[in-house]
């Protein structure tokens, strides 16, 4: 019953290929987060937005990862040249823009890089 | 930096047993604390949150009390059911609405027939 919609659910790419996934946040939520959950169930924060503006991002994101949240379009996360180590569950979450909010997660896109 | 420690990686117990999952945190500010549950093939779902000392969160028979003195937010349920089979994550946020969540390592709950 998640109201954060992520597509596709599964994505299979070869090494060096581009991988792109999309997220439609919950209606009325201006803040969007992307996380990577690895096979050991560890979460890594990648980037977040408020409306179209990047708030924070980790160093890794600046190199092969790119993300955007254009107005009136789904948010997206793209990996320019996939590596085997990028295989993971990519989770999008959205929230309201005031304190103590609990982010609402989508079901994720599971990326497998062969 | 912030951290969340869950000492139990996996808990196997009989149905109707009492469940406790320990969560201790370390944060520089006054964090908001969360419990999320993740079922296979799905994204994390919020169980509940607490943002003040002694505040109790509860949902679906689960509960936890924010304890600033012991920096803990232990999850408890009086009678575990087969449907509670999932991975449970304690998490915190301490820098406002744009702050990424810091997650614990997760605890897998495995209810067994008595």
């Amino acid at each position: 019953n998640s109201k954060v919609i992520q597509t596709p659910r599964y994505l299979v790419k070869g090494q060096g290929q581009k991988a792109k996934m999309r997220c439609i946040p919950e209606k009325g939520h201006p803040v969007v987060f992307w996380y990577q959950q690895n096979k050991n169930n560890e979460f890594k924060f990648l980037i977040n937005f408020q409306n179209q503006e990047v708030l924070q991002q980790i160093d890794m994101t600046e190199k092969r990862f790119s993300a955007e949240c254009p107005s009136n379009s789904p948010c997206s996360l793209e990996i320019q040249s996939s590596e085997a180590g990028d295989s993971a569950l990519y989770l999008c979450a959205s929230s309201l823009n005031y304190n103590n909010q609990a982010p609402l997660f989508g079901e994720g896109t599971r990326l497998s890089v062969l | 930096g912030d951290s969340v420690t869950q000492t139990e990686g996996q808990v196997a117990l009989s149905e109707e047993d009492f469940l406790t999952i320990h969560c201790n945190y370390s944060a520089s500010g006054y964090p908001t604390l969360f419990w999320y549950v993740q079922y296979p093939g799905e994204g994390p779902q919020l169980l509940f949150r607490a943002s003040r000392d002694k505040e109790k969160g509860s949902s679906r028979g689960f509960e936890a009390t924010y304890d600033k003195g012991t920096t803990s937010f232990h999850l408890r349920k009086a009678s575990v059911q087969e449907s509670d089979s999932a991975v449970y994550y304690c998490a915190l946020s301490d820098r406002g609405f744009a702050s990424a969540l810091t997650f614990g390592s997760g605890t897998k709950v495995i209810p067994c027939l008595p």
Side-chain angles (χ1 to χ4, degrees):
Chain A
N1 294 332
S2 177
K3 295 179 182 175
V4 173
I5 308 298
Q6 289 190 248
T7 56
R9 289 294 308 277
Y10 301 93
L11 195 53
V12 180
K13 295 291 178 181
Q15 295 198 50
Q17 290 187 320
K18 282 186 186 179
K20 187 169 185 175
M21 55 204 84
R22 293 175 175 82
C23 170
I24 300 175
E26 165 72 359
K27 189 175 181 180
H29 282 190
V31 183
V32 173
F33 301 82
W34 285 99
Y35 291 86
Q36 178 194 65
Q37 186 181 22
N38 66 19
K39 61 181 180 181
N40 295 321
N41 286 335
E42 296 163 331
F43 291 83
K44 178 182 285 186
F45 165 76
L46 298 177
I47 191 169
N48 62 352
F49 294 83
Q50 178 168 230
N51 297 315
Q52 294 80 52
E53 192 173 326
V54 175
L55 296 175
Q56 300 168 298
Q57 60 182 338
I58 64 167
D59 286 345
M60 182 182 77
T61 310
E62 295 178 19
K63 294 171 183 170
R64 295 184 299 108
F65 289 62
S66 62
E68 61 177 2
C69 276
S71 177
N72 299 318
S73 293
C75 297
S76 64
L77 176 67
E78 186 171 59
I79 307 172
Q80 296 299 320
S81 178
S82 301
E83 299 175 356
D86 298 330
S87 296
L89 181 67
Y90 289 84
L91 292 161
C92 177
S94 70
S95 74
L96 295 167
N97 58 345
Y98 52 89
N99 292 344
N100 304 324
Q101 292 305 295
L104 178 66
F105 283 84
E107 295 193 328
T109 292
R110 183 163 297 282
L111 172 65
S112 297
V113 182
L114 305 178
Chain B
D2 298 343
S3 66
V4 176
T5 301
Q6 291 179 238
T7 50
E8 298 94 354
Q10 185 170 291
V11 176
L13 65 175
S14 296
E15 283 192 19
E16 301 181 9
D17 274 359
F18 194 96
L19 169 69
T20 300
I21 300 176
H22 295 95
C23 172
N24 287 90
Y25 69 90
S26 173
S28 54
Y30 203 133
T32 298
L33 304 176
F34 307 85
W35 276 103
Y36 280 87
V37 57
Q38 188 174 24
Y39 299 99
E42 298 183 12
Q45 299 175 21
L46 178 71
L47 274 177
F48 50 79
R49 65 173 180 232
S51 54
R52 299 184 307 275
D53 191 21
K54 302 298 183 274
E55 180 178 356
K56 181 177 174 180
S58 62
S59 175
R60 311 184 207 178
F62 292 90
E63 61 180 40
T65 300
Y66 193 133
D67 190 330
K68 197 168 190 300
T70 58
T71 61
S72 66
F73 193 52
H74 305 318
L75 182 68
R76 294 183 167 93
K77 187 178 185 188
S79 176
V80 74
Q81 303 300 314
E82 184 180 357
S83 57
D84 296 326
S85 178
V87 182
Y88 293 80
Y89 295 95
C90 185
L92 71 80
S93 170
D94 77 345
R95 295 185 183 86
F97 66 84
S99 173
L101 293 177
T102 299
F103 286 89
S105 54
T107 300
K108 186 173 184 178
V109 171
I110 306 171
C112 309
L113 288 172

